[in-house]
Amino acid sequence: MEIQPTDALIVLDVQKDFCPGGALAIEEGDEVVPVINRVKRHFTHVVFTRDWHPENHCSFSTNPDFQDGSWPPHCVQNTAGAEFHFDLIVPHDAWIVSKGTELDSDAYSGFQESSLAEDLEKKGINRVFVCGLATDVCVKSTALDARKLGFDVVVIEDACRGVDVPIGSAAKAIEEMKAAGVQVCQSGDIA
Ligand code: VGL
Ligand code: ZN
């Protein structure tokens, strides 16, 4: 798969709290980092999203269910847990989209409450490659929104990991994305 200047890579939420040891740790979440660092080199346009919640965000629960939108407190703005994984290569002038910044609503998609769609269109981008964390939450939501907005969408499967509660949710998310016209590839397919 040859990457064009009209393609963008969207890297979802590769933040410490979503990696092993973090507040909302995803199994093998950190394993996406070297994969993303590698594929990223092919792209002219790279967007990094970050989950960026206020303290006392409505999704935070002391008894989180991980399925109904309640989660342990995570990715609080300007805390260590909200930082990008240390090994993720993020340039100083990186294109960063923050989401989930409202107290009373959650945002799983990078397109929600942001100007991402218009900003991509302004740059003439018509295809987006999606990767990062989590397959069954923010990756899925972003990929489906991108389809609805008319972008061609490719998910880089081995550059994603899922929360996977209940077990099988990540695989189901891949199927849902495919059903919506999202293409699925592996990082090795990208040149
Ligand atoms: C996410 C759960 C809660 C994600 C964000 O980035 O996938 N998951 N907030
Ligand atoms: Zn969140």
Side-chain angles (χ1 to χ4, degrees), residues 144-167:
L144 295 180
D145 268 1
R147 281 295 302 149
K148 283 183 206 143
L149 288 158
F151 293 97
D152 289 328
V153 183
V154 185
V155 169
I156 311 169
E157 191 174 14
D158 60 326
C160 300
R161 289 294 185 282
V163 176
D164 215 26
V165 176
I167 290 171

Side-chain angles (χ1 to χ4, degrees), residues 13 18 24 51 71 74 133-134 137-138:
D13 302 2
F18 293 127
L24 208 176
D51 213 28
W71 305 101
H74 62 279
L133 307 172
V137 188
C138 290

Side-chain angles (χ1 to χ4, degrees), residues 61-139:
S61 169
T62 47
N63 188 17
D65 161 275
F66 294 82
Q67 299 178 56
D68 66 356
S70 65
W71 305 101
H74 62 279
C75 297
V76 173
Q77 294 168 11
N78 302 305
T79 63
E83 286 169 15
F84 290 118
H85 188 288
F86 271 152
D87 297 327
L88 184 72
I89 300 169
V90 182
H92 286 293
D93 59 348
W95 181 357
I96 293 174
V97 171
S98 302
K99 59 183 186 51
T101 61
E102 301 293 317
L103 196 55
D104 299 323
S105 62
D106 210 352
Y108 292 150
S109 161
F111 292 98
Q112 232 170 305
E113 296 165 7
S114 82
S115 61
L116 180 56
E118 301 90 88
D119 295 339
L120 290 167
E121 278 157 19
K122 266 183 227 153
K123 292 181 197 293
I125 290 157
N126 53 32
R127 183 170 65 166
V128 295
F129 287 70
V130 182
C131 63
L133 307 172
T135 314
D136 39 1
V137 188
C138 290
V139 170

